[in-house]
Structure formats: C-alpha cells, structure tokens
Amino acid sequence: MLEVPATIRTDDAIADLIDIDTGVVFQATEVDDDWDHVAAELRAAFDATKPAAIAGQPVVYIVSSDALLGRTGTGNAMVATGLLSAARTLAAELRRDGVPVNVLGIESDTPADVIVTWVERLLEVGGPTGELLQLGGTQIGKALP
Amino acid sequence: MRTGIVTGAARGIGAAIARRLATDLDHLVLVDLAPELADTADEIAAGGTTVSPIQVDLTSDAGIHAVVGAVGANSLDSLVNNAGITRDARLVNMAAEDFTAVLDVNLGAPHRLIQALADHFAEGAGIVNIASRAYLGNFGQFNYSMSKGGVVGLTRALAIELAPRVHVNAVAPGLIATEMAMGIPDDIRNRMIEAIPMKRMGEPSDVAELVAFLASRRSGYITGHVHVIGGGRSLT
C-alpha cells in the first residue's frame, strides 16, 4: 500500500481535534438546491476518496441526519444519501483488504469532540464497515436510510 | 386530459412503464436520447393514447425546456424519472468523466426536470423516481450507487416539500431482464439469479405495475419511500 497523508475536509472545529496519520474524513458541506453545487460537492468527495481507495486507507463521511431524511432541502438530501450509498459500495470493494468505509450521521448540535471520537473509531481496522452510525437519537422511529 | 411523462422510455423498463401508463392516462410525453423512441411511441399511439415523443438529452437546458414545452398548458398527473446510464468500474480505476457523466444523467436530470415542472403538477399528482437496489451498495458502481442513493434522498426531500399536493416515491429495481442486464457476462448473471429467492430476473412489466400504482392517485397516501422490487435479492 502507498503511504499518503490523511485527507481531512471538515468544519474547523472537527479538523482541529482529529489526530490521524492516514485515512479520509470528508464532511458534507451545506449546499442549496442548484444542481451544479450538488454535483461539485459529490465530485469533491470522489476526488478526496479515490486516492485513499488506491492507497487502501479507511474512509469516513460525515453527513447530517436531517439531510438523510430530506428535511433540509433537495440539495443536502442528495449529497447525504449519495455519500451513504457510495460508502456502502466502496466498503464492498475494499472489504477483502480489511479497509473500513463508514458514514457518521450527526445533528446540528452534536459536540465536535463527540464527533471526532466516533470518526476515529469508525476508521479503525477490524471494526464495522459499510455502516451508518447516527449520533443523537432523533433518527429513532424514522425511515431507515 | 390526464397527462404523464416517462423519461428513458425508448427501451427496457422505461418502455414497459410507458406501455402500462398508457392504460391509465390520455396523453404521454415520452423522452429518450435513443432513436428507438419513435418505435415505442408509435406502438403506444396505436393503442389510442396520444403520445409526444421528445428525443433530447436531459442533461442539457434545451432538453429540459423541450420536455416542459411538450407538457404545455396541461397539468401533469404523473412523472416517472427513469432515464439512467452505467459506467461501471471499481473506484480505484474509475475515470472522473465517468463519475460525472453518471451523476449528471441519473441524478442531475431528474432533479432539474422536477424543478422545471414544479408549477405543472396537478393536485394529487404522483412522481416516481427510478432508483436501484444498488443504492444499498454494489461492487464496481461507486458512481451509479451514489447517483441512485441521491435519487432516494431527492425523493424524501421532495415528498416533504411537495406535500400535500403531490406524492413522491422511489422504486429500486433489482436484476431486471433488460439490455442493461444482458450486458452482464452470462456466468455472473446466472450466479446472481441463483442468489435471488424468486429464482428469476424481474420482468420490466413487474416494475411497470408498481410504478403505475405509485404514479397514480391510488397511492396518494404513500410518499417519501423507496420500494425495492428485486425478487428478495436484497435479503440474500
């Protein structure tokens, strides 16, 4: 496997706390309902993820749990659910190499240190892969993404 | 005049949906880039439904405008976003242009078409977006599964935004007997069929029956959900 540095594209509050040598942590940024903006955000995820896949590095996408359910507009919904499905596919592609790919669903008031704790766990080899973990509990009783 | 639109209507699942909707609606706008669209349109028109075939690229502004123009002053009862393409590769080998092309056709086009048609929907109208079982994840389809996952999210957001006037659902077909499925090598396809509890590929007409229900007023209290039609394949 190639050695490439970690790629962290998240809010500053999260990036400041993350301490990893390898892997991709990509947080969906808020978009409006303009397709060009949605496409650019998904393309940014592709650009960040492909080198990591080649290098056999773990990946975590961070998305809004509200966006997964379509509560914050079409643009954010397409990004969040698109990333979730892409993560499931990449998890299948990297499973035999033991490389985890997961998604973390957060709420608007989830503390940065809690997010980082779970991001680092989801990057661990030997843990879950292809999974969505949601923090906060508001997803209970709602549609399964 | 009860009016509907089906995209990707020239062949396969889209043509089957168009044939089935023709029994419920008076006028169909059928959209595809492929020239076979004319044959499908003629066949359906022979049954008495009026048909406007529109041969355009839905990733272009001109294509979107042509479809909106074909609807004209009619209010729209049913919209089925079915047009889709594949450019399969493992992510490690996937070209950026193949990533972008699949996203633009499979997700950008339905999103932009619905935005453009927002003022045309009749009270009680049904939108059906064709996703895929691959939204649950599928080896070699990073771009395709992302686009189809995006379709599921688009469906949920629209279900909230367009309620109570319009209901919106996604249909996620598994392995269906179309040209797309026949492109899979025989041995792999046979192994896939073996893993399907129903022990066969789905027929386009199987999908069309579900889509016709979800695109009609009969399903007016069902909205924002993804309906998998795959012979049980997502369980095994």
Side-chain angles (χ1 to χ4, degrees):
Chain A
M1 294 295 176
L2 301 169
E3 279 301 317
V4 297
T7 301
I8 298 167
R9 203 209 72 164
T10 65
D11 289 350
D12 290 345
I14 296 170
D16 288 347
L17 295 173
I18 291 180
D19 181 20
I20 55 171
D21 298 324
T22 64
V24 172
V25 183
F26 182 97
Q27 181 178 18
T29 42
E30 214 163 292
V31 293
D32 59 18
D33 294 340
D34 182 325
W35 170 246
D36 290 340
H37 300 154
V38 174
E41 183 68 6
L42 293 173
R43 174 60 189 268
F46 171 83
D47 290 339
T49 308
K50 184 179 168 182
I54 292 169
Q57 294 191 345
V59 177
V60 170
Y61 294 146
I62 304 172
V63 302
S64 147
S65 288
D66 280 341
L68 285 173
L69 286 172
R71 293 167 172 171
T72 52
T74 53
N76 291 315
M78 288 187 279
V79 170
T81 56
L83 289 175
L84 174 58
S85 292
R88 288 168 173 157
T89 287
L90 185 59
E93 293 181 8
L94 299 181
R95 188 165 69 99
R96 284 192 184 162
D97 300 325
V99 178
V101 183
N102 290 296
V103 179
L104 184 65
I106 63 170
E107 293 171 2
S108 56
D109 59 355
T110 309
D113 61 325
V114 175
I115 294 170
V116 170
T117 296
W118 285 99
V119 164
E120 292 183 357
R121 285 191 191 174
L122 291 174
L123 289 167
E124 284 174 11
V125 171
T129 191
E131 286 293 339
L132 166 68
L133 178 75
Q134 298 192 80
L135 300 174
T138 58
Q139 84 283 3
I140 298 164
K142 303 299 187 286
L144 287 173
Chain B
M1 188 158 66
R2 295 169 304 167
T3 300
I5 300 175
V6 181
T7 73
R11 294 170 299 202
I13 292 173
I17 292 168
R19 287 185 199 104
R20 178 60 186 80
L21 286 190
T23 67
D24 288 345
L25 301 172
D26 306 306
H27 179 60
L28 284 178
V29 176
L30 302 184
V31 187
D32 209 300
L33 195 52
E36 295 94 318
L37 179 66
D39 299 332
T40 306
D42 286 348
E43 176 206 321
I44 291 171
T49 304
T50 64
V51 179
S52 303
I54 312 285
Q55 196 184 335
V56 293
D57 176 358
L58 283 170
T59 64
S60 71
D61 289 339
I64 299 282
H65 290 152
V67 177
V68 175
V71 173
N74 293 319
S75 61
L76 194 55
D77 293 272
S78 300
L79 167 63
V80 181
N81 284 302
N82 165 75
I85 60 170
T86 55
R87 297 273 192 280
D88 294 352
R90 290 188 64 184
L91 178 62
V92 294
N93 297 319
M94 185 172 284
E97 55 266 32
D98 288 336
F99 173 80
T100 300
V102 168
L103 267 293
D104 280 347
V105 173
N106 296 3
L107 183 56
H111 172 57
R112 294 173 64 220
L113 186 59
I114 292 166
Q115 281 182 326
L117 290 166
D119 297 334
H120 288 73
F121 291 107
E123 182 85 31
I127 299 174
V128 181
N129 296 317
I130 304 300
S132 164
R133 194 203 62 79
Y135 99 95
L136 296 170
N138 206 30
F139 195 102
Q141 294 195 309
F142 186 86
N143 49 3
Y144 186 78
S145 66
M146 180 188 271
S147 72
K148 295 304 189 177
V151 163
V152 171
L154 173 65
T155 299
R156 291 183 186 135
L158 287 169
I160 295 170
E161 286 177 14
L162 299 181
R165 209 161 58 83
V166 178
H167 63 295
V168 190
N169 287 281
V171 167
L175 188 64
I176 307 296
T178 62
E179 281 176 42
M180 205 184 262
M182 292 312 170
I184 301 169
D186 284 353
D187 56 327
I188 295 177
R189 192 176 60 247
N190 288 337
R191 255 186 286 145
M192 291 166 76
I193 292 170
E194 199 48 43
I196 298 172
M198 287 297 183
K199 297 298 177 200
R200 65 173 176 91
M201 288 193 282
E203 294 298 325
S205 58
D206 291 325
V207 180
E209 198 59 43
L210 174 61
V211 170
F213 173 65
L214 293 172
S216 75
R217 284 173 170 70
R218 307 194 299 279
S219 59
Y221 200 56
I222 303 171
T223 197
H225 284 283
V226 51
H227 306 265
V228 177
I229 176 163
R233 175 69 180 88
S234 53
L235 306 176
T236 58

